[in-house]
Amino acid sequence: MTIDPPNPIRRITTSPLFWPLLGLVLLLIFNAIFTPSFFNLEIRDGHLYGSMVDVLNRGSIGIIIAIGMTLVIATGGVDLSVGSIMAISGAVAALMLTESNVSLWGVIPCALLAATIAGLLNGLLVAVVGIQPVVATLILMVCGRGIARFLTGEKVIALVDDHFSAAFDYLGNGHFLGMPFPVTIFVLLVLATLVVVRKTVLGLFIESVGSNEVASRAVGIQARTIKIGVYAFCGFCAGIAGLIDASNINAADTVNAGVFTELDAIFAVVVGGTALTGGRFTLVGSVVGALLLQTLLTTLYTFGFASDTAPVPKAIVIVGVCLLQSDAFRQKFRRRSAA
Amino acid sequence: MDETSTPTALLVMQGISKTFPGVRALSDVDFEVRSGEVHALMGENGAGKSTLIKVLTGVHRRDSGSMTLDQHDISPQAPIEAERLGISTVYQEVNLIPQLSVAENIMLGRQSTTAGWISWKAIRQRAQQAVDRVDLSVDIDCELRRCSTAVQQMVAIARAVDLDAKLLVLDEPTSSLDTKEVEELFKVLLRLRESNIGIVLVTHFLNQVYRIADRITVLRNGQRVGTYATEQLPRIELVGKMLGKAPQEVAEIESRTATVSDTTPSSEKMLEVSQLGRKGTVEPFDLDICRGEVVGLAGLLGSGRTEAVRLLFGLDRATTGKLKVDGKRIDKPTPRKAIRAGVAFCPEDRKREGVILDLSVRENIMLALQASRGLSDALSYKQQLELSQHYIDALKIKTPSTETPVGNLSGGNQQKVLLARWLAMNPKVMILDEPTRGIDVGAKAEMETLIESLRKRGMAVVLISSELEEMARTCQRVSVMRDRMKVGELANEDVTDQKMMEMIAQHHDD
């Protein structure tokens, strides 16, 4: 076996980040040509405004969910219940703010705890009981929303008038350093997660369990604990997203909160370059994937698509990015262009 | 001694080259098979055997070169296309579908249909004919996964033959078969040879090559060394060609490992097993191993030898008995507890239970050490690099870099990565289950030397090997197992392949 030096161009194109980034850049170029106003930024009352800021702001929920989802998918699983967990978290927070005198500093931990416990249950079903992840999390996906509705008495709890909490409102609608506060939340969460999984060996252990659980157990990695942990973390992330969502509209709307977020998160992770089969994962890729989806959605709205019909062109772009990522497809294309 | 193409050539591959990112796997290789011959393809790990086979069967596409079958140019783009052309392949790991029945597997992809409806009767009939043709008695409605590996292998061959194969390629067909099963397989191969099928046999077992092959092609480092008639190539020369060494050097390698060191093991017990067993898997057995001692577990496949060591490492839960490592009791062993106590385990199925194919060489090597240190006490990247580089050098692991995924390495090198992982832990007890399976002569000799050096370092080694000669050379003591029971023990000068064989066989006659 002789060894050739690695080709630098090939090294860039084989990086899992390359294709989602390329997709995002293409989309931005498209906007630059057809809606130059897309890149306009203005400062009003010390706050930054513009389409780009909107993308970051509206995309924050998707990014936060995608972070948790990435780790779950890296272990070879999937979590379909994140939307329902968002509803639960929002419901718990709204209920406590209206029915009790607990301050926001007590409300937030309680809502996040509820979400984390929900995730933990998913983890136990998957890792201990041994139910397939899709089925295990489907259970909570279906009944979680029911639990949330039960908590709110089957109605929308509005946080207005007497119940309005300026501090809770700040979570989803406030500004920090000129940027919408949800942006601060997702940036901090991404950084914290990156540090925990990449500066310790947790990330490697997750990849190891996702690639080969049996062999991981045989080197002494506690595969079960790791799996339970990632589902709990995914629940925690969904809890944060649920709080932001409830704060955005100052209400707990258990019917509409987080509907379809699980699918968007899975899209973001896969488009970002993490395989559904588990193993190697990239958190930054998932963030890029989520941003790509949000940019796309914003672009479609700019072009006058209604939210009901926007999924169609969205699906087309997603297929495009997935094809770009596929080695087999690219090779076919290359061969044809060579011929 | 090189022979050139003859008119009777069935398959001619000329000037085949294939490059993978960073690795030149084949360069300008010629290979030719005649109708009605068994042609052995031999070489060390990484010599390019598997790549050549995969180019032939359409798994990989060649970068350059030509291929003809029956004088027609071919370039199969996928295994199914190769099958249609008459090239059938049976891989080392049986690649049929375990959940389907034997009949369904044999007929997979070419179900008889009448107006779009499957005719199960026709399928069963044809499948029965196929198994009869290879003299296999098996219930064709049985789920494939319920059959033994040997039967699965034979089913794969039955399928291959039923595809009207002109050329049958067998990649390491015997590495999971016992002696009797190999005999059965060879009978079938000889009959197929008579019916003018060309057979390519990839194997590491010299004895088998000399029993059945008509000609031998040797590959080394992606190049063809030569093609020889079997009777004109003495064994020692074949080994020399595979290793790229002159015969006397080979003899040296063999003698170096053949001498069992006279340094006697100490009496300090590293492993004490009393009445350890698991219902329905292994009858309770005793086993003591001292510091600096290599103890073998001999027995046929299914004798309980692998099951026994799995209990030692906690991969399966023992239902009775006690286990002590270095004087300390391990209660309800799990791999984690066993590793903490200083036990290391290289499993038989290294791809499923050993190395993690997606992870890099560096990551695979540091994984066990890191797992025992816990999350908070992370090895720095620099420490990891030093650690892996140290073992890459010490064990001569052939890899382009520390960051190469282990899945890209050859079997022997994967085995070494696995060993490196455990050596980094400095274990007290090393369990090696078939460490030389599927690896070539040179690597086997290296492995024996390595075991000897572990022993000298004071490790207690448990060795399982299907090759009794290897055990006789390496072990001070051997426990013989049969029908899930330990049936006896041989020590010192009694450890010969003859005596082991007698003990295994004698109990078989009971």
Side-chain angles (χ1 to χ4, degrees):
Chain A
M1 267 192 282
T2 46
I3 291 152
D4 299 330
N7 174 343
I9 293 174
R10 223 194 127 75
R11 227 157 83 196
I12 295 169
T13 58
T14 50
S15 153
L17 269 181
F18 178 76
W19 298 104
L21 266 179
L22 182 72
L24 185 59
V25 168
L26 286 178
L27 199 57
L28 290 177
I29 291 174
F30 177 85
N31 274 305
I33 296 169
F34 293 99
T35 43
S37 66
F38 192 84
F39 292 93
N40 289 357
L41 288 176
E42 58 176 310
I43 298 175
R44 260 183 278 147
D45 310 332
H47 301 159
L48 217 50
Y49 288 94
S51 296
M52 298 282 282
V53 178
D54 269 356
V55 167
L56 291 177
N57 188 16
R58 303 245 166 271
S60 55
I61 287 179
I63 290 172
I64 289 167
I65 301 266
I67 295 296
M69 189 68 82
T70 307
L71 299 191
V72 168
I73 287 180
T75 63
V78 73
D79 187 350
L80 297 180
S81 68
V82 285
S84 297
I85 295 179
M86 278 177 70
I88 292 178
S89 152
V92 168
L95 202 65
M96 287 181 75
L97 286 170
T98 50
E99 306 285 326
S100 76
N101 294 322
V102 182
S103 81
L104 192 67
W105 298 113
V107 170
I108 291 177
C110 283
L112 293 182
L113 186 69
T116 310
I117 289 173
L120 197 69
L121 288 176
N122 281 331
L124 289 174
L125 285 181
V126 172
V128 179
V129 185
I131 303 178
Q132 293 249 346
V134 171
V135 179
T137 58
L138 195 58
I139 296 171
L140 194 61
M141 177 187 180
V142 176
C143 83
R145 206 165 283 282
I147 294 169
R149 296 210 70 193
F150 173 77
L151 286 175
T152 59
E154 301 196 13
K155 59 181 194 290
V156 175
I157 299 184
L159 297 168
V160 288
D161 306 331
D162 291 353
H163 299 306
F164 181 77
S165 154
F168 187 72
D169 180 65
Y170 185 80
L171 275 183
N173 302 321
H175 281 77
F176 182 72
L177 297 178
M179 288 297 265
F181 192 59
V183 177
T184 313
I185 298 178
F186 92 67
V187 169
L188 287 180
L189 184 71
V190 169
L191 289 180
T193 313
L194 269 176
V195 167
V196 170
V197 298
R198 292 304 182 198
K199 288 289 161 191
T200 74
V201 278
L202 183 61
L204 177 61
F205 283 4
I206 290 172
E207 288 175 341
S208 175
V209 169
S211 315
N212 189 338
E213 193 176 339
V214 182
S216 300
R217 234 165 56 76
V219 294
I221 292 174
Q222 289 157 310
R224 213 176 257 186
T225 315
I226 284 181
K227 279 177 125 176
I228 296 172
V230 294
Y231 282 95
F233 177 70
C234 190
F236 174 78
C237 290
I240 296 177
L243 288 178
I244 294 175
D245 187 59
S247 163
N248 266 330
I249 54 170
N250 272 303
D253 178 359
T254 52
V255 177
N256 296 312
V259 171
F260 286 145
T261 47
E262 63 282 341
L263 300 182
D264 279 343
I266 296 169
F267 275 144
V269 173
V270 173
V271 165
T274 300
L276 274 179
T277 44
R280 293 285 189 204
F281 67 88
T282 152
L283 283 172
V284 179
S286 300
V287 173
V288 173
L291 279 177
L292 176 67
L293 283 184
Q294 190 59 47
T295 311
L296 181 62
L297 213 57
T298 306
T299 309
L300 291 172
Y301 291 156
T302 319
F303 276 82
F305 280 94
S307 58
D308 297 344
T309 48
V312 177
K314 184 170 140 190
I316 293 170
V317 172
I318 287 167
V319 169
V321 176
C322 290
L323 284 177
L324 272 180
Q325 275 183 326
S326 147
D327 276 333
F329 178 79
R330 285 209 308 271
Q331 258 176 26
K332 228 167 235 172
F333 189 73
R334 208 170 289 155
R335 219 173 301 137
R336 206 155 290 162
S337 60
Chain B
M1 249 192 292
D2 234 81
E3 299 186 5
T4 47
S5 268
T6 63
T8 53
L10 169 70
L11 169 82
V12 181
M13 297 174 85
Q14 264 176 342
I16 303 290
S17 294
K18 175 77 195 174
T19 307
F20 295 109
V23 179
R24 178 124 211 204
L26 290 176
S27 55
D28 204 19
V29 172
D30 298 343
F31 183 56
E32 175 235 283
V33 184
R34 298 170 191 163
S35 293
E37 78 163 343
V38 175
H39 195 130
L41 185 60
M42 305 206 57
E44 286 223 81
N45 293 316
K49 294 165 298 188
S50 298
T51 312
L52 188 66
I53 295 300
K54 284 181 177 158
V55 166
L56 171 62
T57 56
V59 176
H60 294 324
R61 287 178 197 95
R62 59 183 187 257
D63 296 339
S64 61
S66 68
M67 265 161 52
T68 64
L69 185 73
D70 267 347
Q71 273 99 49
H72 296 291
D73 278 334
I74 55 166
S75 65
Q77 303 288 310
I80 184 107
E81 209 182 316
E83 276 189 358
R84 284 204 198 101
L85 291 166
I87 303 171
S88 285
T89 316
V90 177
Y91 291 99
Q92 191 169 1
E93 282 98 21
V94 179
N95 54 343
L96 297 176
I97 299 169
Q99 289 85 1
L100 296 184
S101 75
V102 169
E104 284 164 330
N105 267 296
I106 290 176
M107 300 301 293
L108 203 63
R110 41 196 189 109
Q111 293 84 351
S112 317
T113 54
T114 318
W117 297 91
I118 287 186
S119 158
W120 287 106
K121 199 176 150 206
I123 284 180
R124 295 187 68 258
Q125 236 169 23
R126 180 112 186 248
Q128 190 63 53
Q129 280 168 8
V131 295
D132 289 346
R133 204 169 154 201
V134 296
D135 251 346
L136 177 66
S137 60
V138 61
D139 175 10
I140 58 167
D141 296 319
C142 178
E143 255 181 62
L144 190 70
R145 63 177 165 170
R146 307 209 182 281
C147 305
S148 71
T149 317
V151 170
Q152 292 188 19
Q153 195 101 52
M154 291 301 283
V155 169
I157 291 171
R159 172 183 158 84
V161 171
D162 194 56
L163 288 166
D164 292 321
K166 294 174 194 158
L167 184 71
L168 179 61
V169 182
L170 302 163
D171 189 359
E172 297 271 359
T174 57
S175 51
S176 48
L177 307 188
D178 67 29
T179 325
K180 199 169 142 267
E181 290 162 343
V182 169
E183 281 309 310
E184 294 287 321
L185 173 68
F186 280 4
K187 257 190 243 161
V188 173
L189 291 189
L190 290 175
R191 227 172 23 195
L192 293 176
R193 178 171 72 176
E194 272 161 37
S195 62
N196 236 11
I197 290 175
I199 298 170
V200 178
L201 182 66
V202 181
T203 179
H204 289 299
F205 297 98
L206 295 183
N207 285 339
Q208 295 174 2
V209 169
Y210 279 91
R211 259 224 50 210
I212 194 165
D214 301 300
R215 290 195 300 161
I216 301 170
T217 290
V218 180
L219 295 182
R220 212 179 104 69
N221 287 337
Q223 291 173 323
R224 192 183 76 140
V225 177
T227 299
Y228 313 92
T230 310
E231 67 269 16
Q232 286 167 18
L233 184 71
R235 269 171 209 234
I236 196 85
E237 272 187 39
L238 170 60
V239 174
K241 290 190 190 306
M242 286 163 62
L243 296 176
K245 288 180 178 128
Q248 57 266 41
E249 284 179 77
V250 178
E252 230 168 73
I253 292 179
E254 286 186 344
S255 71
R256 200 168 65 217
T257 56
T259 49
V260 172
S261 162
D262 49 7
T263 38
T264 45
S266 79
S267 59
E268 193 187 331
K269 281 184 181 151
M270 286 306 246
L271 183 74
E272 294 166 79
V273 178
S274 66
Q275 291 301 300
L276 198 68
R278 180 181 159 89
K279 248 195 176 151
T281 314
V282 194
E283 297 294 316
F285 65 97
D286 294 337
L287 186 69
D288 287 351
I289 305 182
C290 297
R291 170 186 281 278
E293 191 181 27
V294 181
V295 175
L297 283 186
L300 300 175
L301 263 180
S303 61
R305 46 182 206 192
T306 293
E307 291 78 359
V309 291
R310 288 177 68 90
L311 294 186
L312 294 184
F313 192 64
L315 269 174
D316 294 327
R317 190 59 64 88
T319 49
T320 65
K322 284 184 205 152
L323 173 65
K324 273 188 191 175
V325 176
D326 201 12
K328 283 185 218 80
R329 168 99 194 260
I330 305 181
D331 200 34
K332 289 185 186 158
T334 62
R336 205 175 155 74
K337 284 186 198 167
I339 292 165
R340 289 232 162 128
V343 185
F345 177 54
C346 294
E348 181 183 19
D349 190 345
R350 62 177 166 254
K351 283 190 181 156
R352 212 176 76 79
E353 299 181 329
V355 289
I356 294 162
L357 298 173
D358 294 346
L359 298 188
S360 71
V361 172
R362 168 179 58 84
E363 287 164 333
N364 266 285
I365 290 178
M366 54 80 76
L367 208 51
L369 182 61
Q370 186 61 63
S372 75
R373 287 164 65 123
L375 283 178
S376 49
D377 190 12
L379 290 157
S380 73
Y381 182 72
K382 201 172 151 239
Q383 283 172 312
Q384 296 178 19
L385 264 187
E386 277 169 9
L387 184 77
S388 45
Q389 198 57 53
H390 170 77
Y391 284 106
I392 288 172
D393 297 340
L395 301 181
K396 300 195 193 76
I397 301 172
K398 258 197 207 170
T399 172
S401 81
T402 53
E403 304 309 308
T404 308
V406 161
N408 293 5
L409 304 190
S410 66
N413 283 309
Q414 289 181 4
Q415 186 71 53
K416 286 184 186 171
V417 168
L418 202 51
L419 258 176
R421 172 192 289 170
W422 293 121
L423 291 180
M425 303 282 296
N426 200 14
K428 294 170 181 154
V429 179
M430 176 77 88
I431 305 169
L432 301 167
D433 192 355
E434 296 277 12
T436 59
R437 157 165 305 168
I439 71 177
D440 55 74
V441 186
K444 274 180 185 164
E446 268 181 72
M447 193 60 72
E448 285 180 25
T449 320
L450 233 146
I451 293 172
E452 180 60 20
S453 74
L454 299 184
R455 192 186 79 71
K456 282 191 182 139
R457 275 164 61 174
M459 258 177 229
V461 181
V462 182
L463 174 70
I464 296 180
S465 171
S466 295
E467 289 179 61
L468 295 179
E469 291 167 39
E470 191 175 287
M471 296 243 267
R473 279 198 299 270
T474 330
C475 300
Q476 279 84 50
R477 249 184 326 130
V478 168
S479 283
V480 178
M481 303 204 57
R482 190 254 319 177
D483 291 344
R484 298 171 178 177
M485 266 169 75
K486 179 172 163 182
V487 292
E489 209 168 273
L490 297 164
N492 304 323
E493 61 273 19
D494 283 345
V495 181
T496 63
D497 40 344
Q498 191 57 36
K499 288 223 164 108
M500 280 186 261
M501 226 138 42
E502 278 168 14
M503 200 170 222
I504 293 168
Q506 166 196 349
H507 286 277
H508 255 284
D509 296 338
D510 288 353

